[in-house]
Amino acid sequence: MPEMPEVETVRRTLTPLVKGKTIEKIVVWYPKIIVNDPDEFVKKLTNKKILKIDRYGKYLLFRFNDDLTMVSHLRMEGKYHLVTPDAPKQKHEHVEFIFTDGTALRYDDVRKFGRMHLVETETERQTTGIRHLGPEPNTDEFSLEYFRDALSKKKKNIKNTILDQTVVCGLGNIYVDEVLWQSKIHPLSSAKKIPSDKVADLYRNINHTIAVATKERGTTVHTYLDANGETGGYQNMLQVYGHAGEQCSSCGTVLEKIKVNGRGTTFCSHCQVLYK
């Protein structure tokens, strides 16, 4: 699933392709992608101009004139790409936005899990999935004091706590494995039992890793591509994710892989301490 660095990279590469363009027509090949009534969705967005694209966590927010915002969640495999309207429809293309300038934006999603939700601008934190999200890394809201207090109230293991998006948003399986290894914390550690100095390490590593991964344009492990069809670069910097059975780069111990709440989880049994 694209995580925050990947979605931010999509936002940055997609913006110059579509900003300022006006929608002439919308074709919906798979209506379940649209959270709203599809006909109403098409009617409201026809003749609207894309003013900019924002992002919160893993959500893209397409801002239109007349105070309309399309909240787009790519889920597992969603992708946007610019084409011409006469380009042959590909198997996994589900929605097409045709612009007045003769170009078109298509949404491609192999698993069909992605969603588009049209709402009134500035209501997205009340009316969409964004309302459940915690603060983003590298923001004033995500302070060390906040993070310590949030973890102290959690009985779950630390991996599930960071993955659930309510304490801090934007991290998925890849980056959680990485920051826990960097912080020398076992993924099954009780969130509330992690010592204060280790929480501080984890906090710094979350902020640093998300910043570096964003600079590297995200991580391509399976199918992630940006709006220009290009891969990310952070996969070349991964230390544990995807390296199960290999030696830990820190101590030489063979990295193990277990399931945590159904998610494949790679860690070093020597470096990462279990706090219970």
Side-chain angles (χ1 to χ4, degrees):
M1 178 183 293
E3 303 177 29
M4 198 171 97
E6 291 76 57
V7 179
E8 174 61 17
T9 301
V10 170
R11 186 196 71 80
R12 293 179 182 182
T13 54
L14 189 56
T15 294
L17 299 179
V18 301
K19 182 180 178 181
K21 295 191 176 187
T22 299
I23 295 175
E24 182 178 287
K25 181 181 178 182
I26 301 174
V27 181
V28 180
W29 291 299
Y30 185 71
K32 289 185 179 179
I33 296 288
I34 312 299
V35 174
N36 317 78
D37 174 83
D39 292 335
E40 195 69 16
F41 177 89
V42 169
K43 181 179 177 181
K44 286 185 175 181
L45 282 184
T46 301
N47 298 319
K48 294 298 186 291
K49 178 187 289 188
I50 299 176
L51 303 179
K52 62 177 180 176
I53 304 175
D54 291 328
R55 179 196 52 74
Y56 194 86
K58 303 176 186 180
Y59 291 79
L60 290 170
L61 292 87
F62 290 73
R63 306 294 194 184
F64 294 90
N65 59 309
D66 292 341
D67 293 321
L68 289 174
T69 292
M70 184 183 79
V71 179
S72 172
H73 198 319
L74 304 176
R75 297 290 175 89
M76 296 289 287
E77 307 220 16
K79 301 178 186 68
Y80 285 101
H81 56 274
L82 200 66
V83 298
T84 56
D86 60 355
K89 179 190 177 300
Q90 301 303 305
K91 180 179 180 180
H92 301 297
E93 292 175 340
H94 306 305
V95 181
E96 179 180 46
F97 302 87
I98 300 173
F99 301 117
T100 56
D101 72 345
T103 63
L105 182 69
R106 290 186 185 174
Y107 177 73
D108 181 294
D109 192 337
V110 173
R111 303 197 186 192
K112 302 180 179 178
F113 288 165
R115 292 294 180 266
M116 300 174 188
H117 190 179
L118 186 64
V119 300
E120 184 179 341
T121 298
E122 295 188 358
T123 68
E124 51 273 358
R125 288 206 180 203
Q126 292 81 47
T127 58
T128 74
I130 294 175
R131 68 186 184 275
H132 301 300
L133 302 183
E136 293 186 341
N138 298 301
T139 61
D140 292 341
E141 293 77 15
F142 185 59
S143 66
L144 178 55
E145 292 72 24
Y146 159 82
F147 191 48
R148 281 196 176 115
D149 182 63
L151 293 191
S152 72
K153 300 172 183 176
K154 294 291 184 180
K155 296 180 180 180
K156 296 189 295 185
N157 66 62
I158 188 61
K159 174 148 190 181
N160 284 342
T161 298
I162 301 177
L163 275 179
D164 78 4
Q165 307 298 302
T166 60
V167 171
V168 56
C169 72
L171 287 83
N173 209 38
I174 295 172
Y175 298 118
V176 171
D177 277 7
E178 293 297 307
V179 299
L180 289 177
W181 177 81
Q182 293 164 10
S183 307
K184 301 187 184 303
I185 299 171
H186 194 289
L188 293 178
S189 295
S190 171
K192 64 189 299 183
K193 295 296 185 181
I194 298 172
S196 180
D197 62 326
K198 302 306 294 180
V199 172
D201 287 345
L202 181 57
Y203 171 80
R204 286 189 292 269
N205 286 324
I206 287 172
N207 283 332
H208 178 72
T209 298
I210 291 298
V212 173
T214 301
K215 182 180 179 181
E216 293 294 323
R217 307 176 72 260
T219 302
T220 299
V221 174
H222 298 295
T223 61
Y224 159 72
L225 300 172
D226 67 18
N228 293 319
E230 298 178 0
T231 60
Y234 194 77
Q235 63 272 13
N236 301 317
M237 304 172 73
L238 296 174
Q239 297 297 310
V240 286
Y241 185 90
H243 292 285
E246 300 175 20
Q247 290 186 331
C248 170
S249 62
S250 178
C251 72
T253 300
V254 174
L255 297 172
E256 299 179 26
K257 186 173 183 178
I258 59 173
K259 290 279 189 179
V260 178
N261 199 29
R263 306 298 297 275
T265 302
T266 304
F267 69 101
C268 175
S269 60
H270 176 77
C271 289
Q272 294 175 248
V273 178
L274 180 62
Y275 298 101
K276 284 289 188 179

